[in-house]
Amino acid sequence: MASKISLEVNGAAVEIAVDDPAMPLLYALRNDLALKGPRFGCGLGQCGACTVIIDGEAVRSCVTTLEAAAGRKVTTLEGLGSPERPHPIQAAFIEHQAAQCGYCSNGMIMQAKAFLDRNKRPSDGEIRQALADNLCRCGTHIRVLAAIKLAAERIQRG
Ligand code: FES
Ligand code: FES
């Protein structure tokens, strides 16, 4: 029997009807809400492509149930900025061309967002550590790290 799950996504209250409340949050975001920022990579919590932020924490939406997100605040890539007004992390990724295929970029950016919200003055090592579990099969890590460093500097300056 279908049930309804209420949550907040990118500042808006939403209600999603599901047959199985244990469905991954990722499916609800992409299929029910048409938010295609979070990507399906491994589906096993191992690559980070599906990362979203829930109540300030970066989480892997492929292994987070929709039920677990009930009543919470979810932010996806679409909630950070727009093409006209990108978030500083998004702008820095564009400037550093920190993507090849771009499949990992959502996860890199969302992981970095949650990290920089907590650590305003990260060292290079701390940035590296924070992104260590986000995989990129194209090998763009050096540009990703440079982009996050640039974004951190700009956020510090305001
Ligand atoms: S798709 Fe979720 S961690 Fe890989
Ligand atoms: S840019 Fe292709 S997986 Fe990272």
Side-chain angles (χ1 to χ4, degrees):
M1 194 176 73
S3 57
K4 290 188 176 172
I5 307 266
S6 301
L7 59 158
E8 187 181 306
V9 179
N10 298 333
V14 298
E15 195 175 66
I16 299 170
V18 277
D19 290 327
D20 180 4
M23 178 177 81
L25 172 63
L26 177 63
Y27 298 178
L29 294 173
R30 289 183 60 88
N31 300 336
D32 294 83
L33 302 179
L35 295 168
K36 307 292 188 185
R39 302 297 174 91
F40 184 97
C42 62
L44 298 168
Q46 294 174 352
C47 72
C50 63
T51 301
V52 299
I53 296 173
I54 301 182
D55 294 337
E57 292 275 338
V59 303
R60 300 197 165 184
S61 63
C62 70
V63 289
T64 301
T65 64
L66 177 57
E67 198 172 28
R72 303 178 73 189
K73 290 184 200 303
V74 178
T75 305
T76 70
L77 187 68
E78 291 85 350
L80 290 199
S82 64
E84 298 74 32
R85 291 176 59 84
H87 183 277
I89 300 172
Q90 293 170 313
F93 267 64
I94 294 167
E95 279 179 57
H96 273 283
Q97 299 192 7
Q100 283 189 43
C101 77
Y103 210 84
C104 67
S105 301
N106 167 75
M108 298 288 189
I109 291 170
M110 298 309 286
Q111 190 75 34
K113 167 79 168 78
F115 168 65
L116 293 182
D117 282 349
R118 277 214 193 88
N119 188 342
K120 304 284 184 217
R121 292 181 181 274
S123 66
D124 290 359
E126 286 169 334
I127 295 173
R128 193 174 281 264
Q129 186 63 39
L131 274 292
D133 291 332
N134 284 71
L135 306 185
C136 172
R137 64 189 172 185
C138 301
T140 60
H141 293 92
I142 299 300
R143 290 182 185 200
V144 165
L145 296 173
I148 295 169
K149 186 173 178 178
L150 174 63
E153 288 165 0
R154 286 187 178 154
I155 291 168
Q156 273 171 42
R157 287 201 299 267

